[in-house]
Amino acid sequence: MQTPQKIAVIGSGLVGTLLAIYLKKMGHTVHVFDRSPDIRTVEFSGRSINLVMSNRGWKALEDIGIDEEIRKIGIPVDKRAIHLQDGKLNYQNYGKDGEAIFSLSRGVLNRKMIDLAEEVGVEFKFEHKIWDVTLADATLHIGETERGEWTELKYDKVFGADGAFSRIRHRMQRQSMFDYSQEFMKIGYKELHIPANPDGTHKIDKNSLHIWPRGNFMLMALANLDGSFTCTLFMPFEGENSFEALKEEKDLVDFFAEYFPDTKEVIPDLVHDFFRNPTSYLVMMKCFPWTHENNIALIGDAAHAIVPFYGQGMNVGFEDITVLVQMIEKYGDDWQKIFEEYGKSRKPNADAIAELSLRNFIEMSTKTADEKFLLQKKIEKWFSDKHPEKWLPLYSRVTFSTQPYSEALAIGDFQNKIMEEVMAISDIENKWDSEEVEEKIISLLNSKVH
């Protein structure tokens, strides 16, 4: 058991709220600060990408006993539904039978998590603006405005769970030997909406992640419990087929008619949603160290903002908590050691999932419509089913296991080299499931040392 402390968590998002539940259950006094109003009192829409929960996220929820509550508000998604421009629809299963990710509305999930945190005694302080933190003694500086009068609040520990533009990290960045980089993608996103049928059912298959891959842009959709879908249009800001090019209603309608013809019936409010909802940005942020001595730590997006194309943003943040808790169990009251080991353990894995997420945009927007890529995935699945001890596809390693991301990335690169040789076999299209191909993969696995 740890000596009880007074701990501030900055940010009432998913990672901050789950961390608060863990810390409270360990016996600490926990205050969660957020500059925004209580999300349970505001309408939440317009700039969201639905979340997907996979094994890493579920583990963090199971360990604290709230996974069943969260499963009730999610929808299992066991495959991709690829909508081609010619109207064809292809399905790609994610994993083995029964393996599924869960689609969750960010707003619904966040509200539920705050309820669960309050039930165990976490205290939330909404509309409280934290402008700075004194690193040496974990003192928060709070006030109405950045230039106005501030009040000081002293804590034993401060966790920055305040997202990609964290105020806590902003203070840490001004320390020497603190590495920081930020990169905006040239692609932005906009939320659209598929409403439910009049009887409350879904208009398209609710157990699929729907993707309309179109090269350097794409549309995707994930189901909500109320029969609707949250759709996200990812597209460059500038150039041909970009947000910049869709300034007029006619341009938008013509664009969707050409590239997403099968959405005409299911997105009735296209024009309204497109011009009302903001065009949002995608940013990647890396930094290190994530901690300061024994009293300040960054967690979730504040430590490692990634792009959403692997559906791992929430899962990597929740896994941060799992690892932090393991360090607490190991080192007790030695917070300096806890923080050091937590940062050291998580940094390579956060960097690995950042890389994988970036790569997955190309897979989703381009390769999912490519026959050769689909054949490669088919061969991998066929070989994996026959030899599960020899081959687990990269997607399964990332999504349906808790293997460190850095290992998954390295093994995925190794497997891809093998598949490049397999795909070069003459007439592979007709003998993809032959003994010859099976033996070729086994011999390459044995001969290559990764």
Side-chain angles (χ1 to χ4, degrees), residues 147-322:
R147 300 258 176 263
E149 208 173 303
W150 289 350
T151 306
E152 292 188 351
L153 298 172
K154 174 79 180 76
Y155 284 87
D156 297 312
K157 302 279 173 289
V158 170
F159 284 90
D162 46 343
F165 303 105
S166 164
R167 295 299 299 198
I168 305 304
R169 190 191 65 241
H170 184 63
R171 164 53 63 194
M172 291 169 72
Q173 280 168 231
R174 286 177 270 174
Q175 301 293 297
S176 55
M177 303 302 285
F178 187 93
D179 294 329
Y180 168 79
S181 70
Q182 165 183 299
E183 184 183 346
F184 282 91
M185 285 192 79
K186 304 290 186 276
I187 295 161
Y189 69 92
K190 193 178 282 279
E191 183 184 309
L192 301 170
H193 186 69
I194 296 176
N197 287 318
D199 65 356
T201 56
H202 293 84
K203 288 186 188 296
I204 52 179
D205 179 39
K206 69 175 182 180
N207 301 116
S208 296
L209 166 65
H210 294 266
I211 307 175
W212 289 258
R214 301 295 183 261
N216 66 342
F217 63 99
M218 69 172 178
L219 182 69
M220 59 175 271
L222 276 164
N224 297 310
L225 281 181
D226 64 2
S228 69
F229 280 79
T230 300
C231 304
T232 315
L233 176 64
F234 293 98
M235 201 158 65
F237 290 109
E238 297 174 345
E240 191 188 1
N241 299 329
S242 67
F243 286 114
E244 178 190 60
L246 300 179
K247 288 283 192 277
E248 304 297 327
E249 184 176 322
K250 183 184 182 309
D251 297 333
L252 174 67
V253 172
D254 290 349
F255 174 78
F256 264 71
E258 181 178 353
Y259 290 106
F260 309 117
D262 63 340
T263 64
K264 192 173 190 322
E265 303 305 314
V266 296
I267 309 184
D269 299 326
L270 169 66
V271 173
H272 174 262
D273 286 350
F274 187 91
F275 290 110
R276 184 197 65 167
N277 291 340
T279 303
S280 299
Y281 294 86
L282 295 169
V283 67
M284 289 171 292
M285 190 285 304
K286 294 180 180 179
C287 69
F288 200 75
W290 294 359
T291 60
H292 182 269
E293 294 176 359
N294 67 350
N295 52 6
I296 314 279
L298 302 172
I299 196 158
D301 283 357
H304 49 70
I306 65 174
V307 291
F309 303 117
Y310 226 116
Q312 288 293 304
M314 168 178 62
N315 293 285
V316 63
F318 282 8
E319 195 173 58
D320 288 348
I321 296 171
T322 300

Side-chain angles (χ1 to χ4, degrees), residues 96 382-393 397:
K96 294 183 167 46
W382 162 76
F383 185 81
S384 175
D385 288 346
K386 285 192 86 168
H387 301 281
E389 76 295 345
K390 286 188 167 66
W391 193 287
L392 185 64
R397 288 179 191 280

